[in-house]
Amino acid sequence: AGTDEEWLARCRRRGVTQTGSYVFKIDEDLYIDSEDPCTANFTRFLNHGASPNLRVKSLRAGRDGKPRVWFQALRDVEPGEELVWDYGESYWSES
């Protein structure tokens, strides 16, 4: 926990960048930043696809009180097939 400044200082000490490339919006005021490889997993590399084979689900707070994100297959996925999901219209809109 801590302030944004404390989080930023911890990232800089460990050499973690802050590009914003791995941010996932859970709710209007809650985001998960998966840029730090110490706290993220392979799902941060899942890409957008026009014909997605996954859908994303999220909870503001799981049983442990922390936000949760997971992916569910929309259909059977073939071995070696890339896992992709639809980022949604808001991702592509200019802000």
Side-chain angles (χ1 to χ4, degrees):
T3 66
D4 289 347
E5 293 79 18
E6 291 168 335
W7 167 80
L8 188 56
R10 283 193 306 272
C11 288
R12 286 184 178 148
R13 276 194 305 272
R14 292 192 337 267
V16 175
T17 58
Q18 297 84 39
T19 65
S21 296
Y22 301 103
V23 174
F24 183 88
K25 183 177 180 179
I26 299 279
D27 206 346
E28 288 304 313
D29 63 343
L30 182 61
Y31 297 82
I32 292 178
D33 183 353
S34 296
E35 189 137 3
D36 186 346
C38 291
T39 59
N41 63 32
F42 76 94
T43 59
R44 70 187 183 138
F45 298 115
L46 296 177
N47 292 312
H48 170 78
S51 298
N53 52 23
L54 300 176
R55 71 174 165 197
V56 65
K57 306 284 262 172
S58 62
L59 282 175
R60 186 172 183 83
R63 290 181 181 175
D64 61 359
K66 296 179 182 177
R68 294 287 175 226
V69 176
W70 68 98
F71 294 85
Q72 291 179 322
L74 295 170
R75 58 173 173 74
D76 289 342
V77 178
E78 297 297 320
E81 182 180 356
E82 181 179 14
L83 300 174
V84 294
W85 60 290
D86 183 356
Y87 287 179
E89 290 183 30
S90 63
Y91 178 83
W92 308 106
S93 64
E94 295 184 30
S95 336

